[in-house]
Amino acid sequence: MAVTAREPDYRIPLANSRSVLDRTRDGARRLIDLVLPQRCAACGTPGTGHGLCGACWSGVDFIAAPVCQRLGTPFPYDPGEAVTSPAAIADPPDFGRARAVARYDGPARALVRSLKFQDRMELAGLMAGLMVRSGQELLETCDVVVPIPLHRRRLFGRRFNQAAALAGRIAGLAGCDYQPMAVQRVKSTRHQVGLSAAERRRNVAGAFRVAVEARPLVEGRRVVLVDDVLTTGATANACARACLRAGAAGVDVLVFARVAAPV
Ligand SMILES: [Zn+2]
């Protein structure tokens, strides 16, 4: 396992577009984080050091084998061998396989939200480590790790892409090539929350592309797409299709948490 010597900084420095108040607030929060030991991302207990306190860790709904070979959804019983779920047979995804660390619920949801909205970058290393373990099968056959990109407009609003923060670390831990610019988000899609599965598909249709000059980054290679959360898979499917159109040999999806899907 190759580990990168220095963590790259995925935050986007913005000189003029943020208010003084914003910057002062960020500065104050960083100072507090320096002085006080890290708080549990879910319940706020100080001095946890590992993202969550012991009680919240025990509340994480980890996804363990046996899972559907395609969707990575857990089976309520052990089917005995590698099996594809009826859901994956009825509506096969465009990506090959998906794997997740936990269900998007309770403390796992708090971890995702703390990374995304509170700038808790130290959580990215911890979450990436867990993702490498859950995605072992995918990473064994992986040539290149690519984060599911945000549209430029949303990137500026949030200052960093949490998927890239995870993907860079995962590539480093697994010893895979890391290409954060391989796929572009060319359409600013509205939030998927509250949309039906069909609406989500329409919403992300044509949202991603691999630029001609980026084609060699994915052509003939096995891609692992990384994101923080998998909901219906519409976004992951659209991104996978863009990679496949650019000639990728295969596309798998590795996320930290997935919204529980009925089996
Ligand atoms: Zn806690």
Side-chain angles (χ1 to χ4, degrees):
M1 293 259 236
V3 180
T4 40
R6 206 167 63 86
E7 297 276 30
D9 190 350
Y10 301 97
R11 280 170 288 201
I12 308 294
L14 285 180
N16 303 316
S17 65
R18 302 178 53 233
S19 72
V20 173
L21 182 66
D22 264 2
R23 273 177 274 170
T24 310
R25 210 164 28 214
D26 283 5
R29 197 168 54 215
R30 289 213 181 90
L31 194 65
I32 289 168
D33 283 344
L34 271 181
V35 176
L36 293 175
Q38 286 297 352
R39 291 157 284 120
C40 168
C43 71
T45 303
T48 53
H50 300 286
L52 297 174
C53 69
C56 288
W57 270 121
S58 64
V60 174
D61 198 350
F62 287 103
I63 294 174
V67 297
C68 163
Q69 281 305 296
R70 295 293 304 279
L71 299 174
T73 42
F75 285 115
Y77 57 91
D78 189 350
E81 54 189 79
V83 171
T84 303
S85 63
I89 293 167
D91 186 14
D94 293 294
F95 52 77
R97 300 169 289 180
R99 293 294 182 271
V101 173
R103 286 176 195 266
Y104 186 56
D105 211 351
R109 186 160 182 252
L111 273 176
V112 168
R113 294 182 67 81
S114 296
L115 173 66
K116 196 183 287 195
F117 300 118
Q118 292 175 18
D119 245 2
R120 294 269 309 256
M121 289 297 282
E122 86 280 3
L123 298 177
L126 178 89
M127 292 161 76
L130 291 168
M131 289 167 78
V132 167
R133 208 176 54 177
S134 299
Q136 201 179 351
E137 267 179 291
L138 277 49
L139 293 166
E140 273 168 7
T141 56
C142 168
D143 294 313
V144 59
V145 174
V146 176
I148 292 190
L150 287 177
H151 189 264
R152 256 193 342 264
R153 209 173 306 150
R154 186 144 332 148
L155 185 61
F156 280 129
R158 204 179 291 153
R159 290 187 297 140
F160 77 102
N161 177 3
Q162 72 284 355
L166 296 169
R169 287 166 172 82
I170 289 168
L173 290 168
C176 302
D177 187 15
Y178 172 56
Q179 293 295 347
M181 308 304 282
V183 184
Q184 290 175 307
R185 195 163 194 143
V186 290
K187 194 170 114 184
S188 180
T189 50
R190 61 189 179 114
H191 281 284
Q192 303 269 71
V193 180
L195 300 184
S196 71
E199 284 168 336
R200 280 167 187 258
R201 255 196 296 270
R202 268 200 301 279
N203 191 30
V204 294
F208 301 97
R209 70 163 193 158
V210 176
V212 176
E213 59 274 18
R215 276 187 76 116
L217 302 176
V218 300
E219 202 162 15
R221 307 179 81 192
R222 294 203 57 94
V223 178
V224 169
L225 292 175
V226 169
D227 209 350
D228 53 351
V229 180
L230 187 75
T231 310
T232 58
T235 302
N237 269 327
C239 199
R241 279 198 301 277
C243 293
L244 292 168
R245 272 198 306 271
V251 182
D252 292 321
V253 177
L254 180 55
V255 298
F256 181 75
R258 71 171 305 141
V259 172
V263 176

